[in-house]
Amino acid sequence: MKEKVKRVVSEFNSELKLKGFRAFQIEQDGSETRVYSRKEFYKICLTTGKSKIHYSDKSFEQEGTVLFFGNPHIPYSWETISTTYKGYTILFSEEFFKNSERSESLQQSSFFKIGGTPVLKITEEQRQFLNTIFQKMIAEQESDYIYKDELIRNYISLIIHESLKLEPAEDFDQNKNAASRLSSVFLELLERQFPIETTDQSLQLKSAQDFAKNLNVHVNYLNRAVKEVTGKSTTAHITERILTEAKALLQHTDWNISEIAFALGFDYPTYFNNFFKKQTGTNPKAFRLTEV
């Protein structure tokens, strides 16, 4: 019998989910930035070096010190080009920041919007000032101060408000074709939901309408763009990816069918059974037995 392997998140991810916030110095905790792979949290990163940042449909190649704002709802990736790289990173959940009376600054900030510019160029004077704030957050997260979460939220708000005074980076490259850009962002956003690692993690974006709302475009526009570029409908891509994950969970975990159905975003196991049988011609239980 094939051994079932439970998918688990890293200790770093587990701790981050529990506390909702984490700050660290990149040159000291480089291993943690590698372990943190799933972008489920807002991110603010102050770095010095040469890098290329891909954010939604834009690419920013920067040298020197930059301040980057990452949104868990928008696909992004980071390429480090220089051999020396240093700085600070904070990761925090929306729930963590919502407890602040100033949470509107997060929601309305152009840095976190899909059409916004998430990269700011930082002078040496600004770097030293921001370094101090990041260092205070790193120290505070280890303290026993009873109100430290509120203090950390105040530091995050301070970074956001100071950043609103700065000039955004403008030297970015964009693909020429709007349909190609939108299709690329959709496919990245779809893929970022996987792999599913725990039974209490349920798929959030399950339909073309869900993705269109998340990307702030009309569903018909999204469907046309994806069909034009890939030759397949938005729904077909979503269906294929959910089916691929369903097969992986059936083959490589010991989760029961109900747990897998919930994790894949189905309200009832019967809905999942019907979906799986329609796509494969067999039910999940039979598929699991044939793969053992």
Side-chain angles (χ1 to χ4, degrees):
M1 178 180 290
K2 185 184 292 184
E3 182 181 356
K4 302 291 185 182
V5 180
K6 289 187 177 181
R7 295 182 178 187
V8 295
V9 297
S10 68
E11 291 182 6
F12 179 60
N13 274 8
S14 298
E15 180 185 356
L16 182 54
K17 287 181 177 180
L18 179 64
K19 297 181 179 179
F21 173 84
R22 187 65 187 269
F24 52 88
Q25 189 169 358
I26 293 174
E27 55 190 347
Q28 291 183 346
D29 294 317
S31 61
E32 289 189 339
T33 61
R34 291 194 296 272
V35 171
Y36 176 73
S37 59
R38 296 183 64 84
K39 302 178 179 68
E40 299 172 354
F41 297 83
Y42 286 90
K43 178 178 185 178
I44 303 179
C45 193
L46 178 70
T47 61
T48 301
K50 187 175 182 179
S51 60
K52 191 168 187 177
I53 304 165
H54 306 283
Y55 186 87
S56 183
D57 59 333
K58 302 177 182 179
S59 292
F60 302 82
E61 187 164 331
Q62 301 291 334
E63 188 167 7
T65 301
V66 297
L67 190 64
F68 169 76
F69 296 83
N71 184 330
H73 307 298
I74 300 176
Y76 65 85
S77 60
W78 196 299
E79 295 178 35
T80 300
I81 299 174
S82 58
T83 54
T84 57
Y85 210 75
K86 61 183 180 179
Y88 298 92
T89 293
I90 58 170
L91 302 165
F92 57 95
S93 67
E94 192 167 356
E95 290 72 22
F96 177 85
F97 199 75
K98 270 184 176 178
N99 289 325
S100 169
E101 295 178 356
R102 303 175 181 85
S103 62
E104 282 299 309
S105 62
L106 174 67
Q107 304 301 323
Q108 300 302 320
S109 170
S110 60
F111 306 129
F112 291 111
K113 291 182 178 179
I114 192 167
T117 302
V119 181
L120 297 173
K121 293 180 179 179
I122 302 299
T123 67
E124 178 59 23
E125 182 181 359
Q126 292 163 346
R127 185 188 70 82
Q128 292 181 14
F129 173 74
L130 291 169
N131 273 355
T132 302
I133 301 176
F134 279 93
Q135 290 164 3
K136 286 179 180 294
M137 285 190 283
I138 290 174
E140 203 59 53
Q141 71 183 350
E142 305 300 334
S143 77
D144 295 326
Y145 180 48
I146 190 172
Y147 301 115
K148 68 178 181 180
D149 284 357
E150 183 58 31
L151 182 53
I152 288 171
R153 284 190 283 268
N154 287 337
Y155 285 139
I156 295 174
S157 293
L158 179 58
I159 290 175
I160 292 173
H161 285 294
E162 287 296 324
S163 301
L164 289 171
K165 304 175 185 178
L166 305 179
E167 190 71 24
E170 295 293 347
D171 51 335
F172 59 83
D173 298 319
Q174 287 184 288
N175 298 326
K176 294 180 180 179
N177 186 279
S180 177
R181 293 200 307 270
L182 183 58
S183 178
S184 175
V185 172
F186 158 71
L187 291 172
E188 287 185 52
L189 196 57
L190 172 63
E191 187 60 34
R192 268 179 39 194
Q193 297 190 105
F194 305 98
I196 294 174
E197 298 167 320
T198 64
T199 55
D200 58 358
Q201 173 193 342
S202 184
L203 210 61
Q204 297 300 305
L205 304 178
K206 300 169 287 185
S207 68
Q209 187 68 50
D210 291 339
F211 282 91
K213 182 178 180 180
N214 191 275
L215 295 171
N216 197 30
V217 297
H218 194 281
V219 66
N220 292 342
Y221 178 57
L222 175 63
N223 286 334
R224 284 196 302 270
V226 173
K227 181 73 172 180
E228 175 187 326
V229 174
T230 70
K232 292 192 295 188
S233 68
T234 309
T235 300
H237 283 288
I238 297 169
T239 297
E240 289 176 7
R241 190 59 186 88
I242 291 176
L243 181 62
T244 298
E245 190 69 7
K247 290 179 178 179
L249 292 173
L250 289 166
Q251 291 173 338
H252 303 300
T253 75
D254 57 3
W255 303 353
N256 62 46
I257 303 301
S258 295
E259 289 173 327
I260 293 175
F262 173 77
L264 291 172
F266 293 91
D267 294 330
Y268 301 100
T270 52
Y271 292 177
F272 172 56
N273 286 332
N274 292 339
F275 165 85
F276 195 88
K277 189 168 186 178
K278 180 180 179 181
Q279 300 302 320
T280 66
T282 187
N283 61 52
K285 184 177 180 181
F287 175 83
R288 170 173 268 176
L289 291 174
T290 59
E291 295 298 317
V292 172

